[in-house]
Every structure is written in structure tokens, then in C-alpha cells.
Amino acid sequence: MLFIFAFFAFDAFSQRNVSGVVFDADDSLGLRGTSIVEVGTTNSVIISDFDGKFDITTLRDTTSLTFSFLGMVSETIKITQDTTLNIVLEEDAIMIGGLGCLCVRPIRRISVGANYDFTNSMFGLSFGNGFDESPIVRIPSKFVYKINAQTNFDTDYSFGTNLMWSRSSSLFFNRLLWRTTPSIGFVQYNLSSQDFFHRDVYVSSAVRTPLLSRTQFTLKAGYQTLNNFDNWGGTVGFRSKLWLGHSIGFGTSIGYYFDYFTYSAYIRGQIGWSLFYYHLTYDRIGNHDFFNVGLSYLFIRWRR
């Protein structure tokens, strides 16, 4: 009896309780449906939590857990004690095809879009590699850019450019429970018919924490010219996304530049499972309004 008691006591001691969250490296959202297997055993669990949370009890005191998700690089972690983990999986390949599977990888994405500003009657075009789409879809590039311009085909016009660094492979920052996506940009409006001139040179960043895995806080600091006034200032805001049959991103911000306020809000979404994306944006600079409606298409080049 003593032997049996000792055996069960040792067996109970050998188990480890492991919990945590599995994240997608590209957008830091929880991966629902990730498979977790204790190596060398039949012990496994499937994540069913919408935010990628998991909880598993191992059969051994020293063991390894493998985390795998379709289209992502699997991760194996050694376990020696009860612990809480934040696992980050990176994109590996996309499985497509008819009979059987064909493994391909997106190596280039080009976004071409058109938009119209209803309040100022200006038509515009944009070109980039997924800057607007990056908050709602995975973009493989580390540097995401956008160039855009608008005109009323008379005296009024605007143009701008943005460059963002997406630290998709920075496991160090993900494991510190926060992540940033810094960017720089330049925007200029010259609406001669309305006596309005505005220039904005800025740096900004979106900061995310797994505690609010679907929400990013946005910070921006810049130097602006509004007509004859030059001002330093900044904005604060947030952006998030949800799933309603397709990805929808939304956000808002407010800024102050010593003599005036700025306001911004947007909704962006994917049209079904297509590569078409729509956006509605509202901006207010001082007392001047901009309301844009646009449509873009994301061209993707695949590599076998």
C-alpha cells in the first residue's frame, strides 16, 4: 500500500499546469484553433477560445509542448515547471489547391485604389503595398508604404506619403507584452479655391498589448502648417478590428496643435473573401472637413 501511495503521489507531482495565449506574429491577435500536443504522448488540446487562450496539464514533469496552426511555423517549448506562456507563431505558407494541397507563399502585395472626397469634390488615386489594409490583413513586408494624391482638376490638390515599419518578427517585443509599429508621413493640402493650405510632417506609432489583443493605441507627434501658422502638436487615439463574416477595422483620434484641433475617424473592411477593400474616412483640420470614400484592390504575387 505504501508503494502504491508513493507511486500515485509521484505521478501527481509529475504533472505540470501550462496556460497562456497563442498570438499571430503579424497582427498580434489570438489564434483560435491552435493545436497543442505534448511531445511523445497522446496528450493534446485544441484552443477554442476566441482570443487564443489555452490551458493544458502535462503528463510529465519535464516535457515539451508543440504549438501548430495551419499556415504557421510550429513552435516547440520545453516545460520544466508550472508556467504561463505567450506563444507567437509566424506565417509559413498558405495551403491552397484542389485535390491535395499546394503550398505557396505570398511574396509581394501591391495595392491600387481610387477615392473621392465629397466635401471638397476631389478625386484621388493611391498606390502602395498594403498600408491601409495592414490593420485588417497580414502583409508579409516589413516596410509598408503608401503614396496618394487628389485633385479637382482645377486649382485644388493634395498629396502625401506614408512609410511604416511592421516588426512582425520581433519576438522580443511580443514577449514583453507590447508591440509597436512606428511610421513616418507627409501630407499636404492646397485648396486655393477655399483659401486653405495645410502641411503635416509627422512620426507616429501604434502600440498593442495582448491584454487588449484586438485594440491598438495610436500616438502621433508632428509639425504642421495651417495657412500662415506653424505649430507643433500631437494626437492620441485607438484602432481595432472585428469579424463580421469578413474583417472590419475602425479607429478614431483627436489632436491638438496649439491653435486648433484635429479629428479623425475611419472604417475599413474587406469585401467578403475577395481582394477588394473599402474605406470611409472623416478628417477635420481646424474648421475644414474631409470625407473620403474609396475602394482598393490588393494584387498578390505567389511563390511556390
Side-chain angles (χ1 to χ4, degrees):
M1 290 182 64
L2 289 175
F3 174 78
I4 294 175
F5 177 80
F7 173 80
F8 282 108
F10 177 80
D11 185 62
F13 175 77
S14 68
Q15 295 178 338
R16 301 296 185 187
N17 294 317
V18 183
S19 60
V21 184
V22 180
F23 296 101
D24 185 328
D26 284 334
D27 56 19
S28 286
L29 297 180
L31 280 175
R32 181 182 183 181
T34 302
S35 174
I36 305 174
V37 177
E38 184 177 359
V39 177
T41 74
T42 58
N43 185 27
S44 65
V45 64
I46 300 295
I47 290 178
S48 58
D49 190 285
F50 187 80
D51 293 319
K53 296 179 182 178
F54 69 90
D55 194 335
I56 185 172
T57 300
T58 68
L59 301 179
R60 303 167 178 171
D61 60 340
T62 299
T63 187
S64 296
L65 296 178
T66 296
F67 298 80
S68 59
F69 188 90
L70 182 64
M72 314 295 283
V73 178
S74 297
E75 182 88 4
T76 299
I77 303 295
K78 186 175 182 179
I79 304 298
T80 59
Q81 60 185 3
D82 293 352
T83 185
T84 299
L85 300 174
N86 287 313
I87 305 298
V88 181
L89 300 184
E90 297 191 13
E91 185 179 29
D92 181 20
I94 294 179
M95 311 295 288
I96 65 172
L99 297 176
C101 288
L102 174 66
C103 295
V104 296
R105 181 190 295 272
I107 60 173
R108 184 174 300 169
R109 302 194 185 197
I110 300 297
S111 174
V112 178
N115 56 77
Y116 184 74
D117 182 353
F118 282 93
T119 56
N120 301 285
S121 302
M122 293 197 300
F123 175 79
L125 296 174
S126 63
F127 176 83
N129 66 340
F131 184 89
D132 287 337
E133 294 83 2
S134 60
I136 56 177
V137 67
R138 288 196 297 268
I139 302 296
S141 305
K142 289 186 180 298
F143 292 96
V144 186
Y145 67 89
K146 174 187 174 183
I147 301 171
N148 64 284
Q150 285 184 313
T151 182
N152 65 351
F153 302 101
D154 192 7
T155 59
D156 297 345
Y157 64 88
S158 70
F159 61 92
T161 182
N162 306 86
L163 175 64
M164 180 176 68
W165 179 27
S166 178
R167 297 149 81 126
S168 61
S169 61
S170 180
L171 300 181
F172 173 75
F173 285 100
N174 278 292
R175 287 170 178 171
L176 283 180
L177 303 182
W178 68 281
R179 181 183 173 197
T180 64
T181 50
S183 64
I184 59 175
F186 172 85
V187 180
Q188 180 170 308
Y189 295 94
N190 190 353
L191 309 183
S192 300
S193 64
Q194 305 176 50
D195 295 323
F196 178 85
F197 177 84
H198 180 260
R199 179 184 294 128
D200 185 12
V201 181
Y202 65 87
V203 294
S204 66
S205 183
V207 181
R208 179 189 289 119
T209 169
L211 298 178
L212 296 171
S213 61
R214 298 183 180 275
T215 299
Q216 291 180 320
F217 297 98
T218 56
L219 304 172
K220 172 184 171 182
Y223 179 77
Q224 294 193 357
T225 298
L226 179 59
N227 295 335
N228 296 321
F229 298 95
D230 296 331
N231 301 281
W232 290 93
T235 68
V236 294
F238 78 93
R239 68 185 189 187
S240 188
K241 77 175 184 178
L242 50 84
W243 177 261
L244 294 176
H246 63 281
S247 296
I248 297 177
F250 59 93
T252 185
S253 64
I254 181 173
Y256 181 64
Y257 289 82
F258 296 98
D259 289 322
Y260 58 91
F261 284 91
T262 64
Y263 307 90
S264 180
Y266 76 87
I267 296 176
R268 297 191 182 103
Q270 183 178 7
I271 300 178
W273 293 97
S274 72
L275 295 177
F276 282 97
Y277 296 83
Y278 65 87
H279 72 262
L280 297 89
T281 62
Y282 170 75
D283 296 282
R284 183 175 179 84
I285 303 171
N287 295 319
H288 206 89
D289 295 319
F290 302 86
F291 179 69
N292 279 273
V293 176
L295 184 68
S296 63
Y297 185 80
L298 196 61
F299 294 91
I300 300 179
R301 179 184 174 188
W302 304 92
R303 180 178 65 196
R304 294 178 181 271

